[in-house]
Amino acid sequence: EIKYVNGVGVNTEKFKPLNEEEKRERKTSFGYQPSDFLLFYAAEFNKNKNQELLLESLALIKQDVPNTKLLLAGEGSLMEHCRKRAEQLGISTMVDFLGYRNDLQEIVPMCDAAVASSLREGLPVNIMEAMASGLPVVALNNRGHRELVQNDRNGWIIDQNDPAAFAKKLKAMADLKDVRKKFGNNGRSIIRNKFSVEKVLNQKSDI
């Protein structure tokens, strides 16, 4: 089975949206409440990936959206630092450090939004997979994110590396279920039209 072609392209049959009922069941099977607002980010724990921004943003919406859970997949040198930071911020119960996972196609579609905090990025596969799964995206402004996330079409781009600005959009995403749905549908269309494995293969054979 082809997962990626040359690192670009995503399998849109493997990463695909769940309907409401499937989402509720999947959340329950992973130990979450159906009403939990799940945010997803897959990245190595390092300075560039900037997970600390997400932790600080989460602390700012803790009162307003207490049912938020941030799922962080990946490993890396700053993982323990981030774990301690979550404790300091009083949000340990709201953050799940998933470590290395090979079942992301099970996890991503049950989430409600994808977040991306990296300072620099090429063409991030984690966002492609989230978009293919019908997730809206809140991402920090960089070249790779701009390539995939169109403001107000399939998500929001945050211009400054600022927890307050990021938190504001996370709260809006939590409150606006219709917007999440619209952004998610648009995101999947963008991926299917530009970055699905079949599309990439066809373009390659044309070349």
Side-chain angles (χ1 to χ4, degrees), residues 47-57 116-120 139-142 157-167:
K47 266 233 161 7
N48 178 52
K49 297 300 182 183
N50 196 26
Q51 280 90 346
E52 210 162 331
L53 170 68
L54 302 177
L55 299 175
E56 289 172 8
S57 304
S117 51
S118 49
L119 302 169
R120 294 177 312 285
L140 201 57
N141 194 352
N142 66 43
I157 292 275
I158 313 296
D159 280 328
Q160 65 275 53
N161 185 19
D162 169 34
F166 213 96

Side-chain angles (χ1 to χ4, degrees), residues 1-12 14-15 123-125 128-129 191 194-207:
E1 182 198 13
I2 298 169
K3 192 174 178 202
Y4 310 124
V5 184
N6 261 7
V8 179
V10 63
N11 187 327
T12 51
K14 196 168 170 183
F15 287 88
L123 199 58
V125 167
M128 287 189 200
E129 291 173 344
I191 291 296
K194 283 176 74 176
F195 296 105
S196 71
V197 166
E198 308 83 84
K199 269 277 181 311
V200 174
L201 278 176
N202 290 339
Q203 286 165 357
K204 277 194 138 47
S205 62
D206 290 347
I207 293 164

Side-chain angles (χ1 to χ4, degrees):
E1 182 198 13
I2 298 169
K3 192 174 178 202
Y4 310 124
V5 184
N6 261 7
V8 179
V10 63
N11 187 327
T12 51
E13 280 311 298
K14 196 168 170 183
F15 287 88
K16 57 176 192 261
L18 299 174
N19 64 35
E20 291 292 317
E21 192 178 330
E22 289 168 334
K23 208 168 231 205
R24 283 196 297 271
E25 285 171 5
R26 183 76 56 87
K27 282 182 178 181
T28 306
S29 76
F30 274 90
Y32 298 104
Q33 297 297 321
S35 59
D36 283 345
F37 178 57
L38 302 186
L39 300 171
F40 183 79
Y41 185 43
E44 188 188 339
F45 283 83
N46 63 35
K47 266 233 161 7
N48 178 52
K49 297 300 182 183
N50 196 26
Q51 280 90 346
E52 210 162 331
L53 170 68
L54 302 177
L55 299 175
E56 289 172 8
S57 304
L58 192 59
L60 294 175
I61 64 168
K62 182 181 165 182
Q63 304 301 324
D64 294 322
V65 200
N67 58 324
T68 306
K69 296 266 191 287
L70 173 62
L71 280 56
L72 296 173
E75 297 173 322
S77 56
L78 290 182
M79 191 168 175
E80 279 315 305
H81 169 77
C82 286
R83 219 187 276 274
K84 288 196 179 76
R85 190 76 187 106
E87 274 169 37
Q88 288 167 355
L89 291 164
I91 54 169
S92 288
T93 57
M94 299 173 76
V95 187
D96 281 341
F97 292 88
L98 304 179
Y100 172 77
R101 298 298 287 246
N102 54 12
D103 58 347
L104 291 186
Q105 73 275 13
E106 302 293 315
I107 295 173
V108 179
M110 75 171 172
C111 294
D112 298 292
V115 288
S117 51
S118 49
L119 302 169
R120 294 177 312 285
E121 207 53 82
L123 199 58
V125 167
N126 59 335
I127 293 191
M128 287 189 200
E129 291 173 344
M131 286 166 63
S133 304
L135 268 57
V137 185
V138 180
L140 201 57
N141 194 352
N142 66 43
R143 192 173 54 86
H145 291 165
R146 281 196 306 274
E147 183 114 358
L148 293 169
V149 183
Q150 300 172 21
N151 232 350
D152 286 328
R153 183 166 175 223
N154 64 314
W156 290 314
I157 292 275
I158 313 296
D159 280 328
Q160 65 275 53
N161 185 19
D162 169 34
F166 213 96
K168 189 177 169 189
K169 289 303 190 189
L170 291 182
K171 184 180 179 321
M173 208 57 103
D175 294 342
L176 303 170
K177 195 171 181 181
D178 292 351
V179 170
R180 292 206 304 270
K181 187 146 191 58
K182 185 181 88 174
F183 284 2
N185 290 340
N186 290 345
R188 180 158 170 89
S189 304
I190 291 168
I191 291 296
R192 291 189 71 168
N193 292 332
K194 283 176 74 176
F195 296 105
S196 71
V197 166
E198 308 83 84
K199 269 277 181 311
V200 174
L201 278 176
N202 290 339
Q203 286 165 357
K204 277 194 138 47
S205 62
D206 290 347
I207 293 164

